[in-house]
Amino acid sequence: MARIVGINHVALEVGDIDEALAWYGRFFELELRGRAGRNMAFLDMGDQFIALAAGRTQPPDEARHFGLVVDDKEAVREALREAGVSVQSAGSLDFLDPWGNHLQVVDYREIQFTKAPAVLRAMGLEGLGKSDAAQREIRERGLGE
């Protein structure tokens, strides 16, 4: 039986690729890994990526979501609020994009998820550390060095 090792990418369906790139670019520093014609774009996240695919037709997501890890969750919250996107003023940072995709933004410093040092360095994030609580959780699960 195969063991799940990780997630290579997440695919989000959007209405229009160029509109989605512009919308997400208001809140996140994006690096375009590439495109496949007019209907797909790939956003680089070091050793992972997000695939944007044109053609969403289903209603907005409710419980179904994915957690997007960032280096500064509160900066994203502020940018979303300034753009008129409905978000809580503190705590969990969940929002719907214009196409109904439900995203939950989490701060790298506060969670177990860890990028390899070489990946962080290549992304220009070599100084990004973990909170004491996250380090403790990592150690307790036997995931630390």
Side-chain angles (χ1 to χ4, degrees):
M1 181 177 297
R3 183 123 186 233
I4 296 173
V5 177
I7 296 174
N8 173 254
H9 69 279
V10 170
L12 297 179
E13 293 175 319
V14 297
D16 177 271
I17 296 299
D18 291 324
E19 288 177 21
L21 290 170
W23 193 85
Y24 278 106
R26 294 172 64 188
F27 313 110
F28 305 102
E29 186 177 315
L30 302 180
E31 183 176 336
L32 189 63
R33 183 179 282 194
R35 289 183 77 138
R38 296 177 44 87
N39 291 324
M40 294 219 48
F42 308 98
L43 304 177
D44 192 67
M45 297 187 304
D47 55 347
Q48 301 166 306
F49 64 95
I50 295 175
L52 298 177
R56 184 172 171 112
T57 58
Q58 67 268 30
D61 295 326
E62 293 178 18
R64 180 179 50 199
H65 70 280
F66 79 99
L68 185 61
V69 181
V70 299
D71 64 340
D72 190 343
K73 174 178 138 181
E74 295 310 316
V76 176
R77 184 188 313 275
E78 185 58 31
L80 288 164
R81 288 173 68 191
E82 287 177 6
V85 177
S86 178
V87 295
Q88 291 181 212
S89 60
S92 182
L93 179 51
D94 291 71
F95 67 93
L96 292 177
D97 72 10
W99 304 278
N101 295 299
H102 180 169
L103 284 75
Q104 183 176 78
V105 177
V106 295
D107 197 300
Y108 179 85
R109 295 169 286 210
E110 301 299 327
I111 61 169
Q112 291 178 34
F113 170 80
T114 304
K115 290 270 194 192
V119 174
L120 285 174
R121 190 171 38 260
M123 295 177 74
L125 296 171
E126 59 272 13
L128 191 58
K130 294 289 187 184
S131 69
D132 290 341
Q135 288 177 13
R136 185 171 44 259
E137 191 173 354
I138 290 167
R139 281 192 308 275
E140 288 172 357
R141 297 227 27 240
L143 302 173
E145 296 294 322

